[in-house]
Amino acid sequence: MLRTLNMLSTLIIEDTRNMNLEQIAEAYRESLNPSLLALAFEKTYKLIINISAKYYGLTNEDIASFSLEKLDMCLQTYKSGQVNFSTYFTMTLMNKFREETEALNTQKRKALFFSDSYEVMVENGFDLVAATCEDNEIMDTLTQYKLTEKELQYCSLILNGWSNSEISKMMGVSVMTLSNMRKKLREKLMPLALEF
């Protein structure tokens, strides 16, 4: 974010620094001058930082990119006399950040419930076993979902870090059987998706 601010600050024309956001929007609509967009970004920088602090999972590059995209749109579509520009931009940017973080959460849930194995989830950065959570607590939670003994055994082995090929040997079943078991587990444990 700071790098973007520093880069854009070089584009600002000193004569325009005294303009407020409503004046910048009016002038920008007529000319689409990049120096006005840079000035608006500078004036809304702290606001953007404050808004983005409420949304997790977005990188600084994402925040800068989405902010510039929505700032450009808001400058072009703002109509004076309704709400002030800051309020208009805040609502637009919050909607964008919410949309993007919800998309991240959806992708995380898909990775958890549709991946082929625990190893794939870990490789993708999604570890079901939280450092603060004990295996017994997890197993107690899983028993509430009416899992069979074999399903509970599979979950316990996964929690202890065994691979699917090792689990198939330990349980005396084929990898295909484990695949079918995972499918049934995804269906039974679907309510847990809301917690991830």
Side-chain angles (χ1 to χ4, degrees):
M1 274 292 289
L2 188 56
R3 191 172 57 183
T4 304
L5 176 66
N6 292 335
M7 180 189 70
L8 291 174
S9 293
T10 63
L11 300 175
I12 298 172
I13 299 169
E14 287 303 314
D15 295 346
T16 62
R17 284 211 184 265
N18 292 332
M19 295 173 76
N20 64 34
L21 288 167
E22 287 77 12
Q23 293 168 330
I24 295 170
E26 186 177 325
Y28 187 74
R29 245 189 338 270
E30 294 173 10
S31 66
L32 296 180
N33 187 333
S35 68
L36 293 172
L37 178 61
L39 178 62
F41 187 80
E42 183 181 83
K43 288 186 179 274
T44 59
Y45 180 77
K46 287 182 182 177
L47 176 66
I48 294 166
I49 296 296
N50 288 337
I51 294 169
S52 66
K54 299 172 188 167
Y55 300 92
Y56 300 100
L58 300 176
T59 66
N60 283 334
E61 291 80 10
D62 290 337
I63 294 166
S65 176
F66 298 145
S67 298
L68 279 169
E69 173 194 338
K70 291 305 174 185
L71 186 57
D72 175 62
M73 190 222 39
C74 287
L75 288 170
Q76 290 185 55
T77 59
Y78 176 73
K79 293 181 180 143
S80 58
Q82 296 175 337
V83 296
N84 67 30
F85 183 84
S86 294
T87 303
Y88 178 56
F89 177 58
T90 297
M91 297 310 297
T92 304
L93 192 58
M94 285 173 67
N95 287 337
K96 178 63 175 175
F97 286 167
R98 184 172 30 257
E99 175 186 305
E100 292 299 324
T101 54
E102 285 173 0
L104 288 174
N105 290 338
T106 300
Q107 290 307 316
K108 183 176 179 179
R109 285 194 301 270
K110 285 182 181 176
L112 289 170
F113 286 98
F114 297 103
S115 69
D116 291 331
S117 68
Y118 180 73
E119 292 86 12
V120 174
M121 289 188 285
V122 172
E123 285 172 17
N124 289 319
F126 305 120
D127 193 348
L128 281 172
V129 186
T132 59
C133 208
E134 296 293 326
D135 288 355
N136 290 340
E137 293 173 340
I138 294 171
M139 292 307 293
D140 287 345
T141 301
L142 293 177
T143 56
Q144 299 170 18
Y145 292 92
K146 298 180 183 174
L147 303 183
T148 66
E149 276 301 305
K150 289 249 184 214
E151 289 169 338
L152 285 170
Q153 182 185 7
Y154 175 76
C155 291
S156 177
L157 292 169
I158 282 288
L159 288 172
N160 287 307
W162 296 100
S163 71
N164 281 318
S165 59
E166 293 168 324
I167 292 171
S168 71
K169 290 174 187 166
M170 294 166 91
M171 291 179 68
V173 296
S174 70
V175 175
M176 185 54 92
T177 301
L178 288 182
S179 178
N180 291 332
M181 187 181 296
R182 283 194 308 274
K183 182 179 178 184
K184 288 177 185 173
L185 279 169
R186 283 192 295 268
E187 293 168 5
K188 287 182 179 181
L189 300 175
M190 191 55 76
L192 287 176
L194 300 173
E195 298 176 20
F196 291 110

